[in-house]
Amino acid sequence: MIKWIKKHPTAFMIIVGVLMAFFLLCYWQRTIAVSNTIETKLEDLARDKEKKEPKFYTGQLKEKELEAYDYLKERLDNLEGGIVEFPEPLTGKQYTRVTAALEDEGYNYYYGVCDIPMTEDNVYVKYDGADIMKVKDPIIAKAVLFISCAKGIDTFGEYAEDGTVKNLDEIEKAYSENDPEKVKEIEKVKEETEKILDEIMQGLPEDAGEKSAVDYFLGWFEENLSVAINIGSETTQESGMTGLFEDALIYNNLSALTTHKASAVGYAKILTELCNRAGMESYIVFGTWGRKNLSSESYVLSMIEMNDQKIYVDASGTQSNDMGGFRYMDERGAMNHMVFADYFSYNEED
């Protein structure tokens, strides 16, 4: 190396200059990020102590969507899986909004998921990777509600060449009866989850303001949770739906608290739930992170009403490096980093 430097002193100086310029640029960008971050400017205003009830998603559902939502919610609450037929056929966007409301409004439905949207003639509308958002006509008449406690939970759909589901009778039979032990396990996880949430809230100082309350929750996460990496990556055809529930969905919900690790979605849902209980309106926001970068990925933030504005928090801290190590953003900052999903209205510009 020394011989090369002596032989090519000019090239060496150019390399050193480029590296110094790079580090100075990084330092300058971090300095700008620190000076502009909302995190250091938020006041610890007194919070409303009254618990907030989640309504961001359900409040945007239209009448037909709400009917489908209420129907699915009742089935989930009663642990009734199988073929579900919607009161009225839905478009792709309507179906997406209904299922998103069930998954994201604050419930702990880690044990249930609605999928395989079909036409009246049992044709799977997402067959061969079709984009459901391109289904503009109201043709989605039914779907399958998978419940983890069903005795036949690992029964797969079988498809004809045109996407028709051939074994709906078998699927319906598989979900017609629940395993009592699995039902008990669901109740146990729900009880443990609620117990942990209560313990976290009991530890919140009574005089904690908006900012210090969220800081307390994030601090609790640091001490008690870890990020679940590559969740669902080992879920295969052999492990079936059981693998999906045990290796993925449990980490995407409040139930993640019982495992001591959560996905970014799970972190966001838990923080949102705690903030609502602490009197600050909150909901999760989906989108694509990295709008100004060559690469991007699906991500989720927690929106929290603080200081009379919308503040977006990276609950898991997974993307904090992009924000100079900080976790809080105002709406402009969030939109600079992430393109919000378009099937719900997340901001005033929608």
Side-chain angles (χ1 to χ4, degrees), residues 107-132:
Y107 309 110
N108 195 25
Y109 289 141
Y110 76 95
Y111 56 82
V113 62
C114 187
D115 201 358
I116 313 185
M118 295 169 281
T119 67
E120 186 65 41
D121 297 327
N122 305 330
V123 177
Y124 179 34
V125 300
K126 295 196 295 182
Y127 192 62
D128 282 341
D131 185 355
I132 193 172

Side-chain angles (χ1 to χ4, degrees), residues 185-309:
E185 181 62 26
I186 288 174
E187 294 303 319
K188 178 182 178 182
V189 171
K190 290 166 65 176
E191 290 175 2
E192 290 181 359
T193 301
E194 189 62 31
K195 179 181 178 181
I196 296 172
L197 288 168
D198 285 342
E199 289 175 351
I200 297 173
M201 291 304 300
Q202 289 171 7
L204 176 64
E206 182 67 24
D207 60 348
E210 295 175 340
K211 177 64 164 53
S212 56
V214 179
D215 285 343
Y216 162 74
F217 296 142
L218 294 178
W220 191 94
F221 292 172
E222 292 288 338
E223 295 181 5
N224 297 278
L225 287 179
S226 62
V227 178
I229 306 297
N230 297 326
I231 61 169
S233 61
E234 299 180 358
T235 300
T236 65
Q237 185 77 8
E238 288 72 28
S239 62
M241 290 300 295
T242 296
L244 176 65
F245 285 110
E246 295 179 354
D247 299 334
L249 296 186
I250 193 168
Y251 303 116
N252 286 345
N253 289 276
L254 303 180
S255 53
L257 287 168
T258 65
T259 71
H260 305 292
K261 61 181 179 179
S263 66
V265 176
Y267 269 92
K269 286 184 178 181
I270 295 167
L271 179 59
T272 290
E273 175 67 18
L274 292 168
C275 287
N276 277 316
R277 294 189 181 206
M280 296 176 287
E281 182 178 344
S282 182
Y283 53 82
I284 62 176
V285 176
F286 281 98
T288 303
W289 186 271
R291 61 182 301 165
K292 292 185 177 181
N293 298 330
L294 295 177
S295 62
S296 60
E297 61 180 309
S298 297
Y299 202 61
V300 59
L301 298 171
S302 295
M303 194 296 300
I304 308 168
E305 287 284 352
M306 301 170 61
N307 285 210
D308 298 320
Q309 61 180 307

Side-chain angles (χ1 to χ4, degrees), residues 47-61:
R47 57 187 170 86
D48 186 349
K49 301 297 179 65
E50 184 177 352
K51 180 181 178 180
K52 305 298 182 184
E53 294 298 328
K55 58 184 179 181
F56 174 79
Y57 288 100
T58 53
Q60 294 187 51
L61 295 181

